[in-house]
Amino acid sequence: MQALFTVMADPNFSLWERVALWGVLAVAVLGLLYAVFLTVEMLGKDQGTKEMKRISEAIRLGANAYLNRQFRTIFLLILILTALLYFTAGDQHIAIGRACAFLMGSLFSGLVGFIGMNMAVQGNVRVAAASRTSFAEALKIAYRTGTITGMLTDGLGLLGGTLIFMVYGEQAYEVLLGFGFGGTLLALFMRVGGGIYTKAADVGADLVGKLEKNIPEDDPRNAATIADNVGDNVGDCAGMAADIFESYEVTIVSAMILGWASFGHKGVIFPLLVRAVGVISSIVGTYLVKTSEEARAAMKAIHTGFMVSALVSIVGFCVIGFYYLRFPGFTVLPNWASFGIPGLDMRPVWTTLIGIVLAMAINYLTDHFTAPEKGPVQFVARSTQTGHATTIISGIAIGYESSVWAILVIALAVFASYMIYYGTNPTYIAYGVAMCGIGMLTLTGNNISMDVFGPVADNANGIGEMAHLDKKARQTLADLDACGNTTKAITKGIAIGSAVIAAVSLFNAYLTDIAKYTGQTYEQIVPLLSISEPLVFIGFLIGGSIPFLFSSLTIRAVGRAAFLIVQEVRQQFKDKAIWAGTKTPDYARVVSICTQEAQRELIGPGLLAVLAPVIVGLMLHKEALGGFLAGIILSGQLLAVFMSNAGGAWDNAKKFVEDGHYGGKGSEAHKASITGDTVGDPLKDTAGPALNPLIKVMNMVSLLILPFVVKMEMCSLIGWVIVGASLVTLAVVVYRSKQESPKTLKWQAAIDQAS
């Protein structure tokens, strides 16, 4: 056993550190056991009537059918990339470890999404059943269902990173690149595929049901209702869970790479200990989320749980830092960094604290721009009174403004991390930024709980409407659904912010690796990446354009798939028995269309993410690739926040109107709000969230191919062959994205003939 775990046999590690690492593993297992406990508790709750069970089962079958097909679609690509990763490391021991870690990262990311989604579709019917008697019980079930996914993310992410470090020791960062890349790539596929599925169904259901037929959102006569509810799970549950999981992995990777370069093994073990504290604090905080029947304060209860977790985390890592971050013989630091104690360095603690403050700030900002009772959403809601165009205009304005504040908050956090290490080696500064990312995702369990709570409440609301529950239960579910819209928006904001911090950390790791592979110092490399260098500036411009091309691919995919859903729902409504409610629509047909179209569009954006850095790196060399990464980080963050918050504002403005304001349901203002929500759907649930993994996939690919890029800087036939093949592949991807599917052409021909 000791031979297997390198760290355990390394004399540089103290007995306390070895015990601490085993303790971190134990905490990871504890998080997984807590998820099992919550699962057993949730599955023991009442499932309601036979009709409610039937609807829930239809949603579950559709969601599993989609994910099974998605995994089959990407399985071959995962195997090919595993084989290619073997050749990205010179040392055979590292090569095998990197390939295996890639598979493990992919597997863990897939498990988080698959299991979390299945728990969500088990929880939705139980929330609907509880709503008949208790608001407090319905809230508790919905939130704890989300916590199952949150603790899986915490537990598996911490387990993987710790095991790799214990096995590989100081070489762990080489292997961790594979682990992070596996989780990131799978998250990208799940985000893109799930986002296309969910928004195609949602847009199709709303355009026909609400606008054309003036019926409720989850009216059982609408053939797209089941697909819409399935989409909530494959997009917001499976997709977001995989997204946050890979952010969790990538921040661990970057912190361990930079930690080893700056503080040695203590710089690696400390972030693992912080994450272990985060697991414990998430267990405490999530378990305390509850409210009373009188208060019915869902959002207050969730915020209280988040604040308790934050407080426990802060106390925990401050105590650990005070006793662990001791460096005998180290130069005495200012009092604020060491409390005047020689050898104590609390700077990693302060930068971690900045990360938690950043998470809270983004939480507040996103809530401000997307909550129904706040000014921005009220502004959009008022605009619905003057028509569809003004609704769109006001939502765009809100989205643009929110991007500015979000990036200023992130910039302030990076600046604060920089100032803490001001005047030191640049590697220390980079480590400070990485620890900011560690702190930001310390409360991952809470973040995922909040996110999955949204689609669980949404599904429960749909089940309540389709099963014709009483008015009191329907109001309970509507209140939980509205709260869920805000929590989903908040977690999207945190996911985007964490993606930027993780990408900045990876960018610094990229600079460190250039130094390693070229023999230059960090200080010698940085001037070469100035945007005054033409190739670097060209790389920066290309990188800045990629998020726009990626968003175009995904939004266009939603539009094409939604066209098919609209036509299918219209066709089924022509059946008078379906319209009368005496015949059940063919839900499975719409589910099948969404699944097929999502899979058809899945691979293209993934290939763009993998191949674009390869082309830039081999054609324009390592400095231009650095500029390319900087461009992606900047434009990707701005665009992602804009799309996420604009979409969230349109969505909640619609909910505000539906609550009876400005004429309520069926009014002209309501129709305008539906248009805004429909436009925002692919922005906030497809393109926007998918930019998070896109940014990190490109950074991970750049790190992995860097040795090859440096080696190929001299003209190489192999390099140009790879560039040519990659360019042709991307040209095919873009061309194919503009081609209509055979089904679309068939529908269009029928429409043209009828007109």
Side-chain angles (χ1 to χ4, degrees), residues 10-196:
D10 191 334
N12 292 319
F13 290 83
S14 68
L15 175 62
W16 186 91
E17 287 171 330
R18 296 173 193 176
V19 171
L21 284 171
W22 284 111
V24 171
L25 277 183
V27 170
V29 173
L30 176 65
L32 297 176
L33 290 175
Y34 182 53
V36 172
F37 165 75
L38 293 178
T39 299
V40 173
E41 181 184 65
M42 182 269 289
L43 292 177
K45 302 295 183 181
D46 177 37
Q47 297 183 59
T49 65
K50 185 177 179 180
E51 177 65 9
M52 293 165 68
K53 293 177 185 176
R54 184 190 67 79
I55 297 167
S56 177
E57 181 66 8
I59 296 170
R60 187 186 70 81
L61 290 175
N64 277 319
Y66 168 77
L67 274 191
N68 288 334
R69 181 159 178 174
Q70 176 169 274
F71 289 143
R72 289 198 302 271
T73 300
I74 64 177
F75 179 72
L76 180 60
L77 182 60
I78 295 294
L79 289 183
I80 292 171
L81 288 173
T82 301
L84 290 175
L85 275 177
Y86 177 82
F87 297 103
T88 61
D91 183 275
Q92 186 178 18
H93 180 56
I94 297 299
I96 294 173
R98 183 177 287 179
C100 291
F102 173 76
L103 280 178
M104 183 167 70
S106 301
L107 176 64
F108 281 7
S109 187
L111 278 175
V112 167
F114 187 79
I115 296 174
M117 184 207 71
N118 272 280
M119 291 303 99
V121 296
Q122 294 281 357
N124 56 21
V125 68
R126 290 165 171 83
V127 174
S131 71
R132 298 174 300 174
T133 56
S134 170
F135 179 93
E137 182 68 9
L139 168 65
K140 186 170 76 172
I141 295 172
Y143 190 81
R144 291 188 179 179
T145 298
T147 304
I148 295 170
T149 310
M151 298 318 299
L152 281 173
T153 304
D154 263 346
L156 290 176
L158 188 58
L159 183 70
T162 307
L163 280 175
I164 290 171
F165 177 64
M166 291 175 72
V167 172
Y168 286 91
E170 65 181 64
Q171 294 180 308
Y173 79 93
E174 297 270 16
V175 178
L176 281 164
L177 287 175
F179 184 60
F181 183 44
T184 303
L185 187 65
L186 205 75
L188 178 65
F189 285 130
M190 295 181 78
R191 259 303 184 197
V192 171
I196 293 170

Side-chain angles (χ1 to χ4, degrees), residues 139 221 250 365 369 527 543:
L139 168 65
R221 293 172 293 177
V250 168
L365 274 178
F369 283 104

Side-chain angles (χ1 to χ4, degrees), residues 264-280:
H265 63 271
K266 286 193 175 186
V268 177
I269 293 176
F270 181 66
L272 291 174
L273 292 172
V274 171
R275 281 284 161 84
V277 170
V279 172
I280 294 171

Side-chain angles (χ1 to χ4, degrees), residues 271 299 385 536 556 624 670 710 725 731:
M299 203 67 220
Q385 299 173 92
V536 176
R556 187 182 285 131
H670 184 224
V710 172

